[in-house]
Amino acid sequence: MRTSIATVSLSGSLTEKLTAAARAGFDGVEIFENDLLASPLPPEEIRARCADLGLRIDLYQPMRDIEAVPEKVHAGNLKRARHKFELMRRLGADTVLVCSSVSPLAVDDDALATAQLARLADLAQEFGIRVAYEALAWGRHVNTYDHAWRIVEAAGHPALGTCLDSFHILSRGSDPRGIADIPGDRIFFLQLADAPLPAMDVLQWSRHHRCFPGQGGLDVAGLLRHVLDAGYRGPLSLEVFNDVHRQADAGATAVDAHRSLLLLQEAVGAAELPPRVVPTGIAFAELLTADAEPVTALLAALGFARTARHRGKPVDLWEHGAARILVNTGADRRDGTRLAAIGLASPDPAGAARRAEALHAPVLPCRRAPEDAPLDAVAAPDGTELFFLADETSDPSRLPRWRGDFAALPDAPGPAGATRIDHLALTQPWHRYDAATLFHRSVLGLDARESIDLADPYGLRRSRAVASADGGVRIALTVGAAPADGTVHAAHIALATDDVVAAARALRAAGGRLLPVPDNYYDDLAARFAFAEGELETYHELGILYDRDAGGAFRHCYTETVGRVFFELVQRDPGHQGYGAVNAPVRLAAQHTGRLLR
Amino acid sequence: MRTSIATVSLSGSLTEKLTAAARAGFDGVEIFENDLLASPLPPEEIRARCADLGLRIDLYQPMRDIEAVPEKVHAGNLKRARHKFELMRRLGADTVLVCSSVSPLAVDDDALATAQLARLADLAQEFGIRVAYEALAWGRHVNTYDHAWRIVEAAGHPALGTCLDSFHILSRGSDPRGIADIPGDRIFFLQLADAPLPAMDVLQWSRHHRCFPGQGGLDVAGLLRHVLDAGYRGPLSLEVFNDVHRQADAGATAVDAHRSLLLLQEAVGAAELPPRVVPTGIAFAELLTADAEPVTALLAALGFARTARHRGKPVDLWEHGAARILVNTGADRRDGTRLAAIGLASPDPAGAARRAEALHAPVLPCRRAPEDAPLDAVAAPDGTELFFLADETSDPSRLPRWRGDFAALPDAPGPAGATRIDHLALTQPWHRYDAATLFHRSVLGLDARESIDLADPYGLRRSRAVASADGGVRIALTVGAAPADGTVHAAHIALATDDVVAAARALRAAGGRLLPVPDNYYDDLAARFAFAEGELETYHELGILYDRDAGGAFRHCYTETVGRVFFELVQRDPGHQGYGAVNAPVRLAAQHTGRLLR
């Protein structure tokens, strides 16, 4: 029989995947949409590359939540489908996968699903394309192969068949004997995967994935209240089986563990800690480097100007609007440029430091001369230094001003432009991700979002945003899935601008370089959103990525990487709450190519 | 409130764990039995160490499957308990954890459970010890906290209380409000852990843990038969989301993937491969080294004699009974001594090689001179070279004899002793573990056991045995849980002997060194098994570990490590099917200390 493999099953760029599949003897591939979007090759070249390698493109996977949706949504789906069918013609792919809807908009109405799939099949037929409909094991209403087949059968459309997937069928314990009743020519495709047994039951969950209270999602504080109500007066003891902790340094794990119990006691009113002091903004980000030239050239291209110099240390202040970057050339080793410290504006810097210290954050030794302002600083779990600095709401009579340690440069331009720091993205050591979440929540009082997976071509990454309620401080904590390759991922500083197009053009005019984004990405954007005339072309020219949620749009682009730091330019509609995660796979793939727009 | 942490929550040796807990500010610890068994410190010293560190030993966890068991089993449990209570007196621990039974022997009889726990509490009371009874979420009959409490309440014994664990309660979705109805002084202990939500549902299982057919536990071949019966004639396509594959080299993953489809087609009769040729024994293991002295000194101490030399290469044959080791000093780099090749006795070497080649095993270039016997050799997924060699059942007229390439040394003693190779333990690269399982199953026709977890002090390891039906070939494939620390774990060669005590004594008399095993381990053995007078003391003296299953006993001890190889001496009762996995945590901890018996 012919053999085929989905590109998602292999690591690397699309061309690496195709080459590996062909060399191993596969006859064809399923192309995953994200692999195509992240590829710099146009569809015609992907088709030619496959042909050269002797690979047929057996399936393309671009569509979700197609059927059993309100008619207005379905009309939009058909428009998207036409766009994708045109793309498939260029690719030379003749079968499209449609998975059963998971959308909350989907309704439990087989007749509607049948009618909408038949309409999709009509359209597909015009392009010579077949639609293979598959039940996802977690489909909202259709989640068994026999249900999907009943819908396909009811449609009775020659261009509509079913796709069977061994995982979706066997993982649910469905009886596969019913498959023999489906006419073979109506089974348009077969996807095969195995999986370890048993699935993670509660025992596996317990033995590998426990974590310290506050790092997970169980209501441990609620439980503790009931136990205390019962009159229990024994110790609070942590019993945590965790694969990461088994490998991590015991000293650091024990500190996280003890911190979690302090917070738990605070939560149930059994202990008092210095109160949370939520920072109001990012006063500065400090870069540590031994060779300032490359990063200051990039700062200059971004519109920053050097405005002041520290009175006693080799630290320059660079400003652009309200965005402030310190460039510290005091690095004693040439370990590349990195983000080493963050200044957090705080209504009560001393109080913030007291809470941090009570929660085991190492208080940093003063690095200052006698005449410098005394600063409150602690270390985050990843070693980043956090300075708590007076903000405009602090009592001015009692607080030193860090700016006082800097002497203004005589010829410095005044800070101009509307730029400020939108967010920081900090790469965590592999074994410190959960600790970082707990730290930022509990010490800084930031709210944590759910952790999400980001597909990097060479391994899965996770990312979790922590932010203050008003968005004044936003930090994205990211980590690789495992300490696999020793790759040091860069941190980045996202600069907010009112006009990302103008900012990107200004950067290029000043000699700065932006990350190029593949054509295929923009082809997909055109199918997903409506743009004004010329808007998409402009984004494409500048490598600007786009996302939208209920609160508005998010437009962003990326600079080159210097050492272990790069910059992002961000234009955020006021209500948008995201960080461009949906675009991260494309961005990461582009960064791996090492190419830049000039 | 007082804070405590279970030693299992932290990495490292017991003393490292205690130090870390104390430094982080914990008031006490729960000591896990395995941590004590693996520690070289006697209980009195552990107690003193804790006292010095300001830590109370709040709980000890030695007992499983205590209650609701047949009376004969319970009598044995009480005997073990007495032994453990004596140990706890030495430790200064006054609370013992008893988890609800998971044993298939346990019956659903609360009255029996109550009576047996009360008898245990009677015994505990004599030692001033309290018994804390906890419902495991996966307990066989008792798996909710309220059920455990009902049993404790019914016993009405002052030395019997309950232990609550936030994970066991919340992971099952139990309503914690009922806790308030338990008198606080009857809650003897509280264990706290959080866990990520959602638990691994089918979606997470699908997105992270799919694998290629034959690497997991789903009946993919059975499903495929139904699809073929339906008349499907499209391609077989693999769609595998797997966190390891995302990081692994695409070329190697694609080869494993294609191999899995060849085997799947063979399984359903859709493709014909050269038939399986199961090896009948291990003809030799070949060590590659640039400096033969340390390993040959160890071989000599093990009773091996150098019997022959290769006619054209720097390879010596060492023999001891039927155990044969080749020592190849042709290593071109000083990367330490390693296990580089295995000779497998086969009834059809050429056929075995044909199957391996058809399943994508790289056929190795001939390394021989024109006059050498032509050998069939392929590479395993971890790079180990596998030679297929004629065994006594092969047709002698058609088969070359590898021994013919070796010239007997004139003064060599004849092979003596009953030693042979019992099994080999091969460390797999992190991302090749599933591939190795599939390879050994499908290419060599070995049967695979379930993968098991082994607790190394610095991270979890996994191990999976593959063996021929008659045990003639046994291989343990092991891997670290993640490529965390770059540690290269050693492979080992287990030598079967009829008398491990004599073999160990002979080794020491000849200047060889054995791995010492902690006193605490033997104290535990005494509680678990009955030994003849003096037997345990002998094992203790020689570092011999012990296990027993329905088929008999398994006695084994370990040599020092040379480069990346060490040896095990094994005395296996004919019916014993294990590999000493239960002793692996103690052995691994002992190896980390670097100490040796002299």
Side-chain angles (χ1 to χ4, degrees):
Chain A
M1 299 180 75
R2 297 186 60 256
T3 58
S4 191
I5 187 166
T7 52
V8 74
S9 310
L10 302 171
S11 72
S13 67
L14 181 58
T15 51
E16 287 172 311
K17 293 170 188 229
L18 296 176
T19 305
R23 285 206 183 134
F26 282 93
D27 306 305
V29 289
E30 302 175 31
I31 293 186
F32 248 59
E33 175 145 74
N34 275 345
D35 284 322
L36 182 119
L37 301 192
S39 172
L41 298 183
E44 290 79 3
E45 271 188 50
I46 295 171
R47 174 185 198 156
R49 181 73 60 105
C50 287
D52 289 348
L53 291 167
L55 293 173
R56 194 176 179 285
I57 300 178
D58 284 315
L59 193 79
Y60 188 60
Q61 290 215 21
M63 277 182 277
R64 298 271 154 175
D65 296 326
I66 289 288
E67 90 294 7
V69 290
E71 281 299 338
K72 194 178 147 196
V73 175
H74 186 64
N77 288 347
L78 287 178
K79 193 170 151 237
R80 268 197 299 140
R82 177 178 290 277
H83 196 99
K84 295 299 172 185
F85 292 158
E86 277 160 7
L87 170 67
M88 286 175 66
R89 189 145 62 181
R90 295 168 65 196
L91 267 182
D94 66 2
T95 305
V96 66
L97 184 73
V98 171
C99 298
S100 59
S101 288
V102 298
S103 164
L105 294 175
V107 292
D108 188 6
D109 181 343
D110 284 6
L112 181 64
T114 302
Q116 292 183 339
L117 285 171
R119 252 178 285 158
L120 182 73
D122 277 341
L123 181 62
Q125 209 166 16
E126 292 175 27
F127 290 83
I129 286 171
R130 307 189 309 166
V131 175
Y133 180 59
E134 172 184 79
L136 292 178
W138 52 89
R140 193 164 170 85
H141 302 294
V142 178
N143 43 43
T144 60
Y145 77 90
D146 47 310
H147 192 175
W149 163 241
R150 285 199 304 275
I151 289 172
V152 167
E153 192 178 25
H157 195 294
L160 180 67
T162 191
C163 173
L164 300 177
D165 181 307
S166 65
F167 181 87
H168 290 302
I169 296 168
L170 298 173
S171 66
R172 289 187 62 98
S174 294
D175 182 347
R177 283 177 297 182
I179 294 171
D181 300 332
I182 306 175
D185 61 355
R186 313 300 300 150
I187 303 174
F188 281 4
F189 209 69
L190 173 64
Q191 297 179 314
L192 297 169
D194 199 348
L197 289 177
M200 186 150 68
D201 56 10
V202 70
L203 188 144
Q204 294 298 313
W205 189 21
S206 171
R207 292 209 175 147
H208 302 285
H209 298 278
R210 289 181 179 220
C211 56
F212 298 123
Q215 293 181 343
L218 298 179
D219 183 13
V220 181
L223 181 133
L224 178 57
R225 278 189 206 100
H226 293 294
V227 176
L228 296 178
D229 286 350
Y232 174 75
R233 295 295 175 263
L236 301 180
S237 186
L238 294 164
E239 188 190 36
V240 170
F241 307 82
N242 182 295
D243 290 357
V244 174
H245 297 172
R246 283 183 189 274
Q247 293 177 62
D249 171 68
T253 307
V255 169
D256 296 336
H258 201 258
R259 178 183 296 137
S260 78
L261 286 188
L262 293 176
L263 291 161
L264 195 62
Q265 291 175 81
E266 180 187 46
V268 300
E272 206 164 315
L273 294 170
R276 275 181 177 73
V277 182
V278 181
T280 53
I282 295 173
F284 64 74
E286 179 171 343
L287 303 177
L288 188 62
T289 184
D291 174 14
E293 201 286 322
V295 77
T296 54
L298 180 53
L299 285 172
L302 282 162
F304 282 80
R306 191 162 71 110
T307 57
R309 188 166 179 82
H310 195 276
R311 296 178 193 277
K313 289 185 296 186
V315 180
D316 288 341
L317 171 62
W318 291 71
E319 292 187 83
H320 184 204
R324 287 174 293 272
I325 310 278
L326 302 185
V327 178
N328 183 337
T329 50
D332 56 358
R333 298 184 295 137
R334 290 197 149 261
D335 67 346
T337 302
R338 65 188 177 89
L339 179 59
I342 301 170
L344 293 168
S346 172
D348 178 7
R354 273 197 305 277
R355 180 171 176 86
E357 190 176 3
L359 285 165
H360 299 320
V363 174
L364 296 174
C366 296
R367 306 179 312 164
R368 57 186 187 270
E371 66 275 18
D372 290 348
L375 300 180
D376 297 293
V378 299
D382 65 354
T384 302
E385 301 180 2
L386 301 179
F387 290 87
F388 298 111
L389 307 165
D391 69 5
E392 62 278 11
T393 70
S394 311
D395 176 357
S397 66
R398 297 179 46 233
L399 288 163
R401 297 279 164 184
W402 66 276
R403 285 292 295 269
D405 295 341
F406 285 78
L409 292 174
D411 53 348
T419 302
R420 55 182 183 76
I421 292 179
D422 181 84
H423 66 274
L424 301 172
L426 306 177
T427 307
Q428 301 299 303
W430 177 68
H431 54 287
R432 308 294 291 144
Y433 184 66
D434 285 341
T437 301
L438 186 62
F439 177 90
H440 286 88
R441 266 181 178 168
S442 64
V443 174
L444 303 184
L446 303 179
D447 301 322
R449 299 256 200 104
E450 279 300 296
S451 187
I452 55 174
D453 293 330
L454 305 177
D456 180 286
Y458 300 95
L460 215 56
R461 307 183 70 188
R462 287 188 295 158
S463 183
R464 183 164 205 171
V466 291
S468 57
D470 65 358
V473 175
R474 298 179 197 259
I475 298 173
L477 305 167
T478 69
V479 72
D485 51 7
T487 308
V488 176
H489 293 289
H492 80 261
I493 300 172
L495 300 167
T497 167
D498 288 345
D499 184 346
V500 71
V501 170
R505 285 202 202 286
L507 173 73
R508 293 182 73 186
R513 291 181 297 176
L514 288 164
L515 191 72
V517 175
D519 299 351
N520 297 325
Y521 171 80
Y522 294 99
D523 187 64
D524 177 59
L525 268 194
R528 289 166 55 211
F529 302 106
F531 291 98
E533 176 80 23
E535 186 181 359
L536 202 55
E537 290 68 25
T538 301
Y539 294 163
H540 193 165
E541 171 203 342
L542 297 165
I544 293 171
L545 300 152
Y546 185 90
D547 192 21
R548 173 173 283 282
D549 66 14
F554 188 75
R555 301 167 178 86
H556 56 139
C557 60
Y558 295 88
T559 71
E560 67 186 302
T561 301
V562 174
R564 285 185 276 153
V565 179
F566 60 93
F567 293 85
E568 180 181 4
L569 292 168
V570 161
Q571 181 182 341
R572 177 191 291 277
D573 282 359
H576 188 91
Q577 293 302 319
Y579 295 76
V582 69
N583 297 322
V586 167
R587 186 258 297 176
L588 289 162
Q591 289 180 315
H592 280 290
T593 68
R595 280 191 284 265
L596 290 167
L597 287 174
R598 279 171 192 273
Chain B
M1 300 180 74
R2 297 186 61 258
T3 58
S4 192
I5 186 165
T7 53
V8 74
S9 311
L10 301 171
S11 72
S13 67
L14 181 57
T15 51
E16 287 173 310
K17 293 170 188 228
L18 297 176
T19 305
R23 285 208 181 131
F26 283 94
D27 306 305
V29 289
E30 302 175 31
I31 293 187
F32 248 58
E33 174 146 71
N34 274 345
D35 285 321
L36 182 119
L37 301 192
S39 172
L41 298 183
E44 291 78 5
E45 271 188 50
I46 294 170
R47 175 186 197 155
R49 181 74 59 104
C50 287
D52 289 349
L53 291 167
L55 292 173
R56 194 177 180 286
I57 300 178
D58 285 315
L59 192 80
Y60 187 60
Q61 290 215 20
M63 279 184 275
R64 299 272 155 175
D65 296 327
I66 290 288
E67 91 293 8
V69 292
E71 280 300 338
K72 196 178 143 195
V73 175
H74 186 63
N77 287 347
L78 287 178
K79 195 170 149 237
R80 269 197 298 140
R82 177 178 290 276
H83 196 102
K84 295 299 172 186
F85 293 157
E86 277 160 8
L87 170 67
M88 287 174 66
R89 191 147 59 181
R90 297 167 65 196
L91 266 182
D94 67 1
T95 304
V96 65
L97 184 73
V98 171
C99 298
S100 59
S101 289
V102 298
S103 164
L105 294 175
V107 292
D108 189 7
D109 181 343
D110 283 6
L112 182 64
T114 302
Q116 292 183 340
L117 285 171
R119 252 178 285 158
L120 181 73
D122 276 342
L123 181 62
Q125 209 167 17
E126 292 175 28
F127 291 83
I129 286 171
R130 309 188 308 166
V131 176
Y133 180 59
E134 172 184 80
L136 291 179
W138 52 89
R140 192 163 169 85
H141 301 294
V142 178
N143 42 43
T144 59
Y145 77 90
D146 47 311
H147 192 175
W149 164 240
R150 284 198 305 273
I151 290 172
V152 167
E153 192 177 26
H157 195 294
L160 179 67
T162 191
C163 172
L164 301 176
D165 180 308
S166 66
F167 181 87
H168 290 303
I169 297 168
L170 297 174
S171 66
R172 288 186 61 99
S174 294
D175 182 347
R177 283 176 297 182
I179 294 171
D181 300 332
I182 306 174
D185 61 354
R186 310 303 298 150
I187 304 173
F188 282 3
F189 209 69
L190 173 65
Q191 297 180 311
L192 297 169
D194 198 350
L197 288 179
M200 185 149 71
D201 57 8
V202 70
L203 188 144
Q204 294 297 314
W205 188 21
S206 171
R207 291 206 177 150
H208 301 286
H209 297 278
R210 291 182 177 217
C211 56
F212 298 124
Q215 293 181 344
L218 298 180
D219 182 13
V220 181
L223 181 132
L224 178 56
R225 278 190 206 99
H226 292 295
V227 177
L228 296 178
D229 287 350
Y232 175 74
R233 295 294 176 263
L236 302 180
S237 187
L238 294 163
E239 188 190 36
V240 169
F241 306 83
N242 182 295
D243 290 358
V244 174
H245 296 171
R246 283 183 188 276
Q247 293 177 62
D249 171 66
T253 307
V255 169
D256 296 337
H258 200 259
R259 178 183 298 137
S260 78
L261 286 188
L262 293 175
L263 291 161
L264 194 62
Q265 291 175 80
E266 180 187 47
V268 300
E272 207 164 314
L273 294 170
R276 275 180 178 74
V277 181
V278 180
T280 53
I282 295 173
F284 64 75
E286 180 171 345
L287 303 177
L288 187 62
T289 183
D291 174 14
E293 202 287 322
V295 78
T296 55
L298 180 54
L299 284 171
L302 282 161
F304 282 80
R306 192 162 70 109
T307 57
R309 189 166 178 82
H310 195 278
R311 296 178 193 278
K313 289 185 296 184
V315 181
D316 287 341
L317 172 62
W318 290 72
E319 292 186 83
H320 184 204
R324 289 174 292 271
I325 309 278
L326 302 185
V327 178
N328 183 338
T329 50
D332 56 358
R333 297 183 296 137
R334 290 197 148 262
D335 66 345
T337 301
R338 65 187 178 90
L339 180 58
I342 301 170
L344 293 168
S346 171
D348 179 6
R354 274 197 304 277
R355 180 171 177 86
E357 189 175 4
L359 285 164
H360 299 320
V363 174
L364 296 175
C366 296
R367 304 180 312 164
R368 56 184 187 272
E371 64 275 18
D372 289 349
L375 299 180
D376 296 294
V378 300
D382 66 354
T384 301
E385 300 181 2
L386 302 179
F387 290 87
F388 299 111
L389 307 166
D391 69 6
E392 62 278 9
T393 70
S394 309
D395 176 355
S397 65
R398 295 179 47 232
L399 288 163
R401 297 281 163 181
W402 66 275
R403 286 293 295 267
D405 296 341
F406 285 79
L409 292 175
D411 54 348
T419 301
R420 54 181 184 78
I421 292 178
D422 181 85
H423 67 274
L424 301 172
L426 307 178
T427 307
Q428 302 300 303
W430 177 69
H431 55 284
R432 307 295 290 145
Y433 184 65
D434 286 340
T437 301
L438 186 63
F439 178 90
H440 286 87
R441 267 182 177 167
S442 63
V443 174
L444 303 184
L446 303 179
D447 300 322
R449 299 256 201 103
E450 280 299 296
S451 187
I452 55 175
D453 292 330
L454 305 178
D456 180 287
Y458 300 95
L460 215 56
R461 305 182 71 188
R462 286 187 297 158
S463 182
R464 183 164 206 172
V466 291
S468 56
D470 66 358
V473 175
R474 297 178 198 259
I475 298 173
L477 305 167
T478 68
V479 71
D485 51 7
T487 308
V488 177
H489 293 289
H492 79 261
I493 300 172
L495 300 167
T497 167
D498 288 345
D499 184 344
V500 71
V501 170
R505 285 204 203 285
L507 172 71
R508 291 182 74 185
R513 291 180 296 177
L514 287 163
L515 191 72
V517 175
D519 299 351
N520 297 325
Y521 172 80
Y522 294 100
D523 188 65
D524 177 60
L525 268 194
R528 288 168 54 212
F529 302 106
F531 293 97
E533 178 79 23
E535 186 181 359
L536 202 54
E537 290 67 25
T538 302
Y539 294 164
H540 192 164
E541 170 202 342
L542 297 165
I544 292 172
L545 301 153
Y546 186 89
D547 192 22
R548 175 172 282 282
D549 66 15
F554 188 75
R555 300 165 177 87
H556 55 139
C557 60
Y558 295 88
T559 70
E560 66 186 305
T561 301
V562 175
R564 284 184 278 155
V565 178
F566 60 93
F567 292 85
E568 180 181 4
L569 291 169
V570 162
Q571 181 182 342
R572 177 192 291 279
D573 281 359
H576 187 91
Q577 294 301 319
Y579 296 76
V582 68
N583 297 322
V586 168
R587 185 258 298 176
L588 289 162
Q591 289 181 316
H592 279 292
T593 68
R595 281 190 283 265
L596 289 167
L597 287 176
R598 277 170 194 273

